[in-house]
Amino acid sequence: MTSVDKPTTAPHDQPGTTPAPAPADDRDASRAAERKVTEAALFDAFGGVRGTVETILPGLLFVMIYTINQDLHVSAIAALGVALLLVAVRLIRRDTVKHAFSGVFGVAVGVAFSMLTGNAKDFYLPGMLYGTGLGLAYVVSAVAGYPLIGLILGPVFKENLSWRKRNPGRKKAYVKASYAWGLIFLAKYAILFPLYFWGDTEQLGWVIIALKLPPMLLAVYLTWVFLSKAPPPIDVFAEMEAAEKAEAAEKAARERELGGEPLTDGPTSHRRR
């Protein structure tokens, strides 16, 4: 149980008396703090503004150059070059590189695929297949009771998988959020695949750029709405720390009962009197 789960007791309350309810202002402040924590966690988990820019920029550069000169090789090399530059900047500044590296990997696969087939539209195909598979994974995981959003955000909120059995309200929020992500992804690629088969490269590229940010913002917003109304996370790390402290205190008490002689759990335990 986290601190926000515990009943608030006035200082003058004595054991056996009914705890005084928390003032409305305190409850509002607590909920506001929880919302800020949720916002910060979502911001970090999905890359924030910088991660979004790093995701969009290589593809935007590709379609801009291809629209101007229709040269697949120049467009692909430029996109890969800017993706590598973004990673280098993060490495120099010693920032986290997980979002930048994922962007480089996606761009590299797209470049390799389009170079292999000679079709500029294939630069986008691996990302489209991945996005469709991810959308299906969100939906299937929600149906199976292991919502993917919960698996992603559980460690961020220090709750791991405690939401599955110990926090049903939070699990329900993760299920709703996973459905939202899945359906938004699937709707997005239901628009893009017809363009891949029947549109030209420029049309496909610009529509992909246009649909890069709005669906993600909608999914993040819905996730924030669901989680802001859910019970607070159970901090399992704090629980483990408390259990370790209690175990250490119990061991110290037993040592005092035995005359202050330390207890050991290894092969030297036979030395105790």
Side-chain angles (χ1 to χ4, degrees):
M1 181 181 295
T2 59
S3 58
V4 293
D5 294 321
K6 297 176 182 177
T8 302
T9 307
H12 60 273
D13 288 338
Q14 299 298 325
T17 61
T18 303
D25 290 344
D26 290 348
R27 291 196 298 270
D28 291 343
S30 177
R31 293 301 292 175
E34 291 169 16
R35 289 192 182 98
K36 288 183 179 179
V37 170
T38 299
E39 291 170 7
L42 289 173
F43 193 82
D44 176 71
F46 298 110
V49 175
R50 186 175 178 183
T52 302
V53 170
E54 290 172 342
T55 301
I56 294 175
L57 192 56
L60 176 61
L61 189 61
F62 178 91
V63 70
M64 286 178 61
I65 294 175
Y66 191 83
T67 300
I68 294 171
N69 62 16
Q70 303 290 303
D71 190 318
L72 169 60
H73 291 80
V74 173
S75 303
I77 292 171
L80 184 57
V82 75
L84 291 171
L85 178 62
L86 292 171
V87 171
V89 170
R90 280 189 176 265
L91 289 172
I92 293 171
R93 298 184 59 177
R94 298 183 180 179
D95 294 332
T96 177
V97 295
K98 60 181 180 179
H99 299 292
F101 267 132
S102 63
V104 166
F105 179 77
V107 171
V109 172
V111 167
F113 206 73
S114 60
M115 292 288 194
L116 184 65
T117 64
N119 184 351
K121 285 194 290 186
D122 287 340
F123 173 80
Y124 302 105
L125 184 58
M128 292 169 61
L129 293 174
Y130 172 77
T132 303
L134 189 58
L136 291 172
Y138 277 121
V139 173
V140 171
S141 68
V143 172
Y146 285 88
L148 189 55
I149 286 295
L151 300 178
I152 294 171
L153 294 181
V156 176
F157 287 112
K158 300 181 180 180
E159 61 182 333
N160 286 349
L161 294 179
S162 62
W163 49 264
R164 284 209 69 242
K165 295 183 178 179
R166 298 175 57 193
N167 205 342
R170 198 157 179 87
K171 177 182 177 181
K172 185 177 180 180
Y174 282 139
V175 168
K176 289 180 180 179
S178 292
Y179 274 125
W181 278 86
L183 294 177
I184 289 170
F185 269 55
L186 293 177
K188 172 182 174 179
Y189 291 105
I191 296 171
L192 293 179
F193 269 104
L195 282 175
Y196 172 79
F197 289 113
W198 297 298
D200 57 36
T201 301
E202 294 90 333
Q203 289 174 331
L204 176 63
W206 287 114
V207 173
I208 285 177
I209 296 300
L211 291 180
K212 200 81 172 182
L213 193 55
M216 183 177 178
L217 289 178
L218 176 60
V220 170
Y221 172 73
L222 291 175
T223 302
W224 176 82
V225 169
F226 296 142
L227 290 180
S228 64
K229 296 179 180 179
I234 298 171
D235 191 337
V236 295
F237 296 102
E239 288 183 342
M240 288 188 289
E241 289 177 1
E244 289 175 357
K245 290 179 180 178
E247 183 180 354
E250 182 182 353
K251 184 176 180 180
R254 285 189 283 120
E255 288 176 354
R256 286 193 296 269
E257 290 176 1
L258 293 174
E261 193 165 330
L263 298 178
T264 57
D265 298 321
T268 60
S269 59
H270 65 280
R271 297 177 184 175
R272 291 179 298 184
R273 296 178 183 177

